[in-house]
Amino acid sequence: MRRVFLGNFDFEHQLTREVYAATGGATPALNLNLASCWLGMAADGDQIYLPGSVSADYITHLQSAGLPKVELIADWPERDAAAQMTFVPWGWSQATAKLAQSQGFTVTAPDLAAVKTVNSRSFSFACESVWGLSLPGSCRVESLTELEAAVAELPRGQEKVETAWVLKADFSMSARERMLGRGTLVATQVRDWAQKRFACQQPLFLEPWVQRTAEAGLQFEIPQQGEPEFVGLALLRCDDRGQYRGSRICVDAQTQETWQPAIEVGQCVAERVQHAAYFGPLGIDAMQYRDARGELQCRPIQDINARYTMGRLALGFARFLKPEQVASWLHFPWKESYGQPFSKWLKCVADMQKSSTRFIATSPDQINGQALRLVNVLLISETTEELYQAEETLMRAVSTLAETAC
């Protein structure tokens, strides 16, 4: 059955509005900019909802690159056609379920209360606590008094070095809905932010800030009946603020073995998620870090996402690889002030490299005549060494462009 994909990438904002009864949040531009990311999951004949004008050259480019022949739609199908299609959102919220039903799609969605439960930090914190996996000093707080006491009691690092920490909301994502702090006191800005959430009867979660060395997205599929399926592992690339900047979608046996303990914990999480009445895609972010003694540790449950994730979409590109090929899917900001189309600039970077790595733009240059603020590219290499080199070449070129455009 043909599918139509809705990129409600503001999913957590939708949940936040439902929980906090708050206005605002992500703008429609976010969903518009990221709509083409569904290429990782889409097949020939599928539709991607993208309510804007995109050049026909973009579709031609995708086909010439060997990517699926999809249809970008700005309007929903007629009800008779919609009834014959599978509706696939980034995540199931109340707003998304109502939209699907109003447009005539046959909806097979998990219980929406279960979606909210599993996506909350309360759920992941409970998993960590029950299995003894919490970071030292991590705790749930429900008032300013509890917050101040917890910060004051955080384990100290080296002498004369203030302890860094992060305070997270019950619903947060990609370095949003969180505040950073340092030392034993809670700054006014953090207090004000926390108080608003406490006023809505929402807990917050305090964690020490640790020295991250590597992150991975563990991807599962939770069926309505039967055992949860481990789909694969995608190594994450994040910036210094913890925001997602891409996934390496092919890992060797040694890397798989390194993350195997996290995968085993992830399987337990998947079973617990299924028991909570959720079914569908599940992504679990795991992290390797160094503790205060400099020893390498693993945090297998950093985040639980009962929805699609960029890592899951990235894994979808693996079907276009030949045996032994490896790939990465990278994301980075783009600006109109750079003065040239993204695809043209990318071709120049690809032509200057010394390897045979393919650089494939997976996002269009413009939507409605405006340059995208976030672009993405698929790198396909013959060897891991070539892939690493291509990643560094591209990221250096991005940095140079940003510096020279200032």
Side-chain angles (χ1 to χ4, degrees):
M1 183 177 289
R2 295 173 66 199
R3 297 170 293 178
V4 57
F5 293 93
L6 170 67
N8 59 321
F9 299 100
D10 59 346
F11 169 68
E12 277 84 4
H13 289 287
Q14 293 177 330
L15 293 187
T16 299
R17 287 194 291 271
E18 292 173 11
V19 173
Y20 301 125
T23 58
T27 67
L30 174 68
N31 295 336
L32 200 63
N33 269 249
L34 295 179
S36 60
C37 289
W38 279 118
L39 288 170
M41 295 298 299
D44 288 347
D46 286 341
Q47 296 180 340
I48 298 174
Y49 183 67
L50 195 162
S53 175
V54 176
S55 170
D57 292 341
Y58 172 62
I59 302 298
T60 302
H61 155 73
L62 295 178
Q63 294 178 36
S64 64
L67 297 181
K69 185 178 181 181
V70 299
E71 182 182 357
L72 304 179
I73 59 171
D75 299 300
W76 294 109
E78 296 292 333
R79 295 184 68 86
D80 289 346
Q84 304 301 315
M85 302 181 73
T86 301
F87 183 83
V88 183
W90 177 252
W92 284 104
S93 64
Q94 293 178 9
T96 302
K98 289 179 181 178
L99 171 64
Q101 292 168 348
S102 69
Q103 297 299 327
F105 292 100
T106 301
V107 177
T108 305
D111 179 80
L112 296 181
V115 173
K116 194 176 297 183
T117 294
V118 174
N119 276 287
S120 70
R121 194 159 299 280
S122 294
F123 185 87
S124 60
F125 179 78
C127 290
E128 286 190 300
S129 299
V130 168
W131 296 326
L133 301 172
S134 301
L135 294 174
S138 296
C139 62
R140 171 183 172 129
V141 293
E142 300 184 15
S143 69
L144 286 177
T145 300
E146 290 183 2
L147 172 60
E148 291 172 337
V151 168
E153 293 173 3
L154 279 173
R156 300 290 181 268
Q158 298 177 356
E159 292 185 6
K160 299 182 180 180
V161 177
E162 290 186 316
T163 301
W165 45 268
V166 58
L167 186 64
K168 299 179 179 180
D170 207 16
F171 295 94
S172 61
M173 65 293 184
S174 188
R176 302 183 183 93
E177 274 297 302
R178 74 177 196 188
M179 296 293 283
L180 301 179
R182 184 177 290 276
T184 59
L185 300 177
V186 181
T188 300
Q189 182 181 10
V190 178
R191 288 172 58 89
D192 292 345
W193 180 86
Q195 186 59 48
K196 291 179 181 178
R197 283 137 188 88
F198 291 142
C200 294
Q201 304 299 310
Q202 291 298 307
L204 297 177
F205 297 86
L206 180 69
E207 300 174 1
W209 187 265
V210 295
Q211 182 186 348
R212 181 180 61 243
T213 60
E215 289 182 280
L218 315 178
Q219 308 302 324
F220 294 85
E221 184 67 26
I222 313 298
Q224 289 181 270
Q225 300 290 334
E227 295 287 331
E229 175 192 0
F230 176 62
V231 177
L233 167 72
L235 295 179
L236 302 183
R237 292 196 60 150
C238 298
D239 61 20
D240 292 339
R241 296 185 62 249
Q243 289 187 310
Y244 176 79
R245 287 292 173 254
S247 296
R248 188 171 294 150
I249 59 179
C250 294
V251 298
D252 56 29
Q254 182 178 354
T255 302
Q256 187 87 4
E257 183 179 352
T258 297
W259 290 98
Q260 187 59 34
I263 295 172
E264 293 173 2
V265 172
Q267 194 70 44
C268 295
V269 172
E271 292 170 2
R272 188 169 180 139
V273 166
Q274 187 181 48
H275 185 72
Y278 173 81
F279 61 85
L282 177 73
I284 303 172
D285 291 344
M287 173 178 63
Q288 293 175 347
Y289 68 97
R290 294 198 179 277
D291 61 20
R293 298 186 299 274
E295 297 179 359
L296 195 63
Q297 304 289 348
C298 177
R299 185 186 186 188
I301 313 173
Q302 184 177 2
D303 285 301
I304 297 176
N305 299 297
R307 55 165 170 79
Y308 280 96
T309 66
M310 287 298 174
R312 179 65 178 272
L313 270 56
L315 287 179
F317 287 110
R319 61 200 156 123
F320 304 115
L321 304 182
K322 297 177 181 178
E324 306 303 323
Q325 285 185 328
V326 290
S328 289
W329 189 41
L330 302 181
H331 300 231
F332 50 89
W334 190 259
K335 296 180 180 179
E336 189 82 47
S337 60
Y338 291 165
Q340 56 183 314
F342 161 60
S343 60
K344 181 180 178 180
W345 172 84
L346 184 64
K347 185 178 185 304
C348 291
V349 174
D351 290 343
M352 289 189 295
Q353 66 162 338
K354 297 181 181 180
S355 71
S356 59
T357 297
R358 296 176 63 198
F359 286 54
I360 304 172
T362 50
S363 56
D365 288 334
Q366 296 183 331
I367 298 178
N368 293 331
Q370 300 293 319
L372 275 66
R373 296 182 180 179
L374 187 69
V375 294
N376 42 73
V377 55
L378 178 65
L379 307 181
I380 301 178
S381 300
E382 300 303 319
T383 67
T384 301
E385 291 73 17
E386 280 191 1
L387 181 64
Y388 293 172
Q389 182 181 10
E391 289 178 351
E392 294 307 317
T393 295
L394 179 61
M395 300 316 292
R396 282 199 304 270
V398 171
S399 298
T400 300
L401 181 63
E403 291 171 0
T404 56
C406 292

